[in-house]
Amino acid sequence: MRDWIETEFDQRTREKANGELRVLFLDGHSAHKTLKVIDFCRERGIILMAFPPHTTHALQRESCSQAA
């Protein structure tokens, strides 16, 4: 997960954020919330927000409507 955040999310959003904080929404899977991921995001101004377990389908409406 840290690799994806570093190579995709951070690189693609850093310049547009222009020093402002960024928010990354994750599903509730515990593998996404490791100490390495949390430290990496904290150092780079990325706020991690996790959906409660088993609620992504209901709370992440935009993705669901595009897939339908």
Side-chain angles (χ1 to χ4, degrees):
M1 182 67 183
R2 182 175 179 260
D3 292 338
W4 180 85
I5 293 173
E6 185 174 354
T7 60
E8 297 294 328
F9 183 80
D10 187 42
Q11 288 183 11
R12 293 175 186 237
T13 61
R14 185 182 326 126
E15 185 177 326
K16 187 174 183 176
N18 196 30
E20 296 291 324
L21 294 175
R22 295 167 279 165
V23 178
L24 176 60
F25 290 90
L26 306 170
D27 62 22
H29 197 283
S30 62
H32 300 159
K33 298 175 277 188
T34 66
L35 187 56
K36 287 182 181 184
V37 168
I38 293 168
D39 286 343
F40 178 85
C41 290
R42 184 179 293 144
E43 291 168 4
R44 287 162 179 78
I46 301 169
I47 299 170
L48 294 175
M49 299 292 293
F51 289 111
H54 311 291
T55 62
T56 306
H57 66 283
L59 298 175
Q60 194 177 2
R61 285 296 197 203
E62 194 170 308
S63 293
C64 294
S65 64
Q66 289 177 358

